Amino acid sequence: MARAFADIAFTPTVRKIQKEQGSADAYAKFLSPEVQGGDKISAREAEFIEQRDGFYQATISETGWPYVQFRGGPIGFLKVIDSKTIAYADFRGNRQYVSVGNLTTQNKIALILMDYPNRRRLKIWGRTELIDISDDPAMVETLHDAAYPAKPERSVIISVEAFDWNCPAHIPQRFTIQELEALGVIRTESQ
């Protein structure tokens, strides 16, 4: 665990509850000045991020309600731009625009990226910038895999504030059809 995560997640109320529940001493060290990091994407995080074909995204409405939605696409659609920036082409969906509306008034976002077969999870907190396709079609083009048949509407650029690798406890192992085929566990008619 790194300092950037602790600074965001360990609010005064959280620290009070940690104290009441007996875990405050174990976590206090992550708030010390000697502990740093957790806000710059290394090669390890970049590789993990770019191998995902989806993630869970949380936003906050102007009325204070959280909204969590799954975002999916081809492997690698969430791109690492640099050590502090990730981005994706936002595809047209059900046209409710709840996430877009939330990010228009409150630019904070949290992502949870899952690797179910290996029981790994990466949490990312950041601030977003939405760029409509009409304002910068070249940006969307660099983020969108032309072979993927979805219609992108905008770029979502995320400035990473913090990330944390979460423990594997309670993550069930799940496999996609493609992962099971690669392991030789199943065969589909296309093989």
Side-chain angles (χ1 to χ4, degrees):
M1 182 180 306
R3 176 66 186 257
F5 165 78
D7 283 342
I8 289 174
F10 297 165
T11 64
T13 301
V14 169
R15 290 171 61 200
K16 177 181 178 282
I17 293 169
Q18 288 172 345
K19 185 173 183 171
E20 291 168 358
Q21 297 297 316
S23 64
D25 290 343
Y27 289 112
K29 64 185 172 202
F30 297 108
L31 293 168
S32 72
E34 301 83 49
V35 175
Q36 297 298 315
D39 61 345
K40 290 188 178 163
I41 297 167
S42 73
R44 175 184 181 215
E45 287 82 33
E47 179 182 9
F48 184 84
I49 290 166
E50 292 185 341
Q51 289 176 349
R52 307 283 59 87
D53 64 356
F55 56 87
Y56 301 93
Q57 168 182 284
T59 59
I60 306 164
S61 75
E62 61 200 278
T63 56
W65 286 98
Y67 181 70
V68 178
Q69 186 174 51
F70 182 80
R71 286 285 197 251
I75 290 173
F77 84 101
L78 180 59
K79 306 221 182 298
V80 176
I81 307 302
D82 59 41
S83 67
K84 294 283 288 173
T85 313
I86 58 178
Y88 66 93
D90 192 23
F91 306 127
R92 180 179 223 162
N94 60 18
R95 302 187 70 202
Q96 292 179 358
Y97 299 107
V98 177
S99 295
V100 172
N102 289 352
L103 292 172
T104 299
T105 60
Q106 171 61 271
N107 73 345
K108 292 180 181 173
I109 194 167
L111 308 180
I112 296 179
L113 285 66
M114 299 298 300
D115 174 2
Y116 287 107
N118 297 300
R119 300 180 65 221
R120 297 186 304 163
R121 166 178 47 209
L122 179 64
K123 300 179 290 188
I124 301 172
W125 289 266
R127 295 183 185 272
T128 60
E129 177 186 2
L130 304 178
I131 303 172
D132 192 87
I133 192 168
S134 63
D135 295 331
D136 192 347
M139 172 63 84
V140 172
E141 188 175 315
T142 63
L143 297 174
H144 180 240
D145 177 350
Y148 188 67
K151 178 178 173 28
E153 295 184 322
R154 72 195 53 77
S155 300
V156 178
I157 313 299
I158 303 169
S159 297
V160 175
E161 298 276 330
F163 63 83
D164 184 50
W165 289 94
N166 218 190
C167 77
H170 313 295
I171 298 175
Q173 274 192 306
R174 294 185 175 138
F175 296 85
T176 65
I177 297 294
Q178 294 80 9
E179 290 162 340
L180 291 171
E181 287 173 342
L183 292 170
V185 175
I186 64 169
R187 286 180 53 102
T188 61
E189 291 182 31
S190 65
Q191 289 184 316

